[in-house]
Amino acid sequence: MPKINTYNYVFPLLTGSPPTEDRKAAIVSTVVGSSFCLYENYFLTAAHVLKEILEYEWFGVGYIKDGTSDWTFANIVNYESFDDLDIALIEVDISNIKNLEKLNWHMETLDMGMDIIAVGYPYALETRLNLLSIRGFKGNIVSASRTALLTSHPRAYELDFQCPRGLSGAPLMRSKDFSVCRMIVGNSKSMMLVFSDKEVTREGKSEKIVERYESMSLGLAIEGTEILKIKSNLMSHDIGHLVSDY
C-alpha cells in the first residue's frame, strides 16, 4: 500500500473563531464533517454536512498552516447542494493552502469483498488536549444496490464498518492505490422481526402485541458514477467532465 499524507487530501469542515492579531491560531469549536478536493478550488462533502455547518455564524474548511501544527480556516465562498444524493459542492478560497492534493478517481465497479479505506474526521476534536485528529477505517465492500434512504434512490455501496458522525463527506478509496471510488454519506440500517407475541384479554376485549426486532447498521457510500453525472450550475459543467481532465 502506498503512503500519503492524508492531511493534504482530506479536510474537516469546522466551526469556531478565526485567528486574530493577538492569537495566531484559530479556535475550533466543532468538527461537522469531512471533505476532499474535486477540482481546483471545488470540494465535495455531504449535503447534510453543508446544511448543518451553515447554521453556525462562523465556519470554514480546516487545514494545517504550512510549517506549523496549527489549524486554521479556509473560507467557503459559494456552494451548491444536491439533496437527492446527499452530495454538496463547495467553492473554497484555497489561496493559503500550500499542500493541497487531489485524489485520482477509479470508476470501475467494486466487487464484494474488495479492500477499501475511508479517511476523515469523525469525533475528531479532543478539547482537553486541544487536538484535532484524522482517522482511517479499513474494511470491505458488503453489497452494491440502490438505497431507499435518499429520494433519488441512487446506487450505493454498503461497507462492513459503521461510519460515525464526522466521517460523512469523506472519500471512500481503494486500499491499494488510494484512488477515490465513492463518497461516505452515513449508514444504512436494516431491520428484521425476530419475535412476535400476542396477548388477548377476552372480557375487556383488549389486545397487546409485543414485537422484537434485530437491526444491522452498515456504512453507506454513494456510487461514484452517481456523483460524476451531476450537472453543476456552480461549475458550469457536469462533474464527470472536469474529473476526467486530470
Side-chain angles (χ1 to χ4, degrees):
M1 181 189 299
K3 292 184 178 181
I4 64 173
N5 185 343
T6 49
Y7 287 105
N8 296 343
Y9 292 85
V10 186
F11 301 86
L13 292 180
L14 308 174
T15 70
S17 303
T20 64
E21 293 184 0
D22 298 329
R23 175 174 42 79
K24 295 182 179 180
I27 295 177
V28 179
S29 59
T30 311
V31 180
V32 180
S34 305
S35 67
F36 61 101
C37 184
L38 171 71
Y39 180 83
E40 295 182 346
N41 62 325
Y42 294 98
F43 288 47
L44 281 178
T45 189
H48 72 268
V49 170
L50 175 64
K51 182 179 179 180
E52 182 177 347
I53 203 171
L54 291 176
E55 295 177 357
Y56 290 86
E57 182 177 356
W58 206 90
F59 56 84
V61 173
Y63 68 96
I64 298 176
K65 294 174 65 175
D66 189 37
T68 74
S69 59
D70 295 332
W71 285 89
T72 190
F73 294 74
N75 290 326
I76 296 174
V77 297
N78 210 340
Y79 55 87
E80 187 174 13
S81 186
F82 308 92
D83 293 338
D84 60 331
L85 292 170
D86 200 5
I87 301 293
L89 185 67
I90 54 177
E91 184 179 358
V92 182
D93 178 4
I94 62 171
S95 56
N96 292 320
I97 305 179
K98 305 302 182 183
N99 298 311
L100 173 64
E101 300 284 352
K102 302 180 186 69
L103 294 161
N104 293 320
W105 284 76
H106 173 85
M107 299 313 304
E108 294 179 11
T109 302
L110 304 183
D111 298 324
M112 286 191 296
M114 178 178 286
D115 292 337
I116 44 85
I117 184 170
V119 178
Y121 295 87
Y123 293 90
L125 184 60
E126 173 52 81
T127 55
R128 293 169 298 180
L129 300 176
N130 196 28
L131 293 176
L132 198 159
S133 301
I134 195 168
R135 289 187 168 100
F137 297 78
K138 188 175 185 297
N140 303 293
I141 298 293
V142 173
S143 72
S145 183
R146 294 195 176 275
T147 176
L149 298 178
L150 298 170
T151 56
S152 63
H153 302 161
R155 287 189 59 80
Y157 283 82
E158 289 182 324
L159 318 174
D160 68 350
F161 54 85
Q162 293 188 39
C163 296
R165 179 178 176 83
L167 193 62
S168 291
L172 181 71
M173 302 173 286
R174 297 197 307 175
S175 297
K176 67 178 183 179
D177 60 6
F178 289 103
S179 59
V180 179
C181 42
R182 312 296 178 259
M183 195 191 79
I184 301 293
V185 294
N187 295 286
S188 67
K189 188 172 184 179
S190 302
M191 299 181 65
M192 180 176 65
L193 178 64
V194 295
F195 175 80
S196 181
D197 184 50
K198 182 176 181 180
E199 179 182 322
V200 178
T201 304
R202 295 189 181 279
E203 293 181 359
K205 297 182 180 180
S206 63
E207 185 177 286
K208 179 181 180 182
I209 298 177
V210 177
E211 294 182 339
R212 184 179 303 146
Y213 290 84
E214 287 184 355
S215 64
M216 176 179 66
S217 185
L218 300 169
L220 189 69
I222 298 298
E223 164 71 71
T225 54
E226 298 279 2
I227 300 171
L228 298 188
K229 69 183 180 184
I230 290 173
K231 296 187 181 299
S232 168
N233 293 323
L234 186 61
M235 302 174 75
S236 301
H237 281 287
D238 64 274
I239 290 178
H241 172 76
L242 293 173
V243 168
S244 66
D245 286 346
Y246 68 84

